């Protein structure tokens, strides 16, 4: 599916380097927010996808932990492309959200 959802990942990428992965779990032509995608969570295919993602996260973290020079190179490239004097300013500014999630 070419569709997606929303997240705060754009804000995160303003203050830290970011990587993203996608793992196939179904071939639903309807996209990711479907009953098919929800139902696959309790199946063998869903479990295999989860295990694959866990392996990717673990092995990536292990590689970075064991290679501080790679981590430094990532930060250097990030700062070079973003600009050393960059300051993140959220669209909301300093104001609170217009509603309270806890009420």
């Amino acid at each position: 599916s070419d569709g997606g959802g929303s997240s705060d990942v754009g804000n995160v990428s303003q203050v830290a380097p970011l990587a993203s992965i996608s793992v196939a779990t179904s071939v639903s032509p309807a996209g990711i927010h479907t009953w098919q995608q929800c139902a696959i969570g309790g199946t063998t295919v869903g479990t295999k996808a989860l295990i694959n993602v866990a392996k990717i996260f673990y092995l990536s973290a292990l590689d970075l932990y064991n290679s501080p020079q790679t981590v430094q190179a990532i930060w250097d490239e990030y700062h070079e492309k973003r600009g050393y004097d960059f300051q993140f300013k959220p669209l909301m500014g300093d104001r609170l959200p217009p509603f309270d999630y806890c009420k």
Side-chain angles (χ1 to χ4, degrees):
S1 166
D2 290 335
S6 64
S7 75
D8 294 326
V9 74
N11 287 347
V12 173
S13 70
Q14 298 297 308
V15 296
L18 180 74
S20 178
I21 63 166
S22 294
V23 177
T25 56
S26 74
V27 292
S28 172
I32 61 171
H33 294 288
T34 64
W35 68 266
Q36 295 97 329
Q37 191 66 31
C38 182
I40 205 151
T43 67
T44 302
V45 172
T47 301
K48 286 180 181 180
L50 176 70
I51 291 170
N52 283 335
V53 169
K55 287 178 183 178
I56 291 167
F57 283 172
Y58 170 77
L59 293 171
S60 297
L62 185 63
D63 283 347
L64 292 171
Y65 179 80
N66 287 318
S67 182
Q69 65 275 19
T70 300
V71 173
Q72 186 60 54
I74 290 168
W75 275 106
D76 291 345
E77 179 181 349
Y78 176 76
H79 289 302
E80 182 180 319
K81 289 184 184 256
R82 185 188 68 170
Y84 290 95
D85 59 347
F86 176 82
Q87 290 186 352
F88 175 62
K89 295 179 184 167
L91 293 175
M92 286 185 55
D94 292 334
R95 67 184 172 87
L96 294 173
F99 49 86
D100 185 352
Y101 290 108
C102 298
K103 288 184 179 181

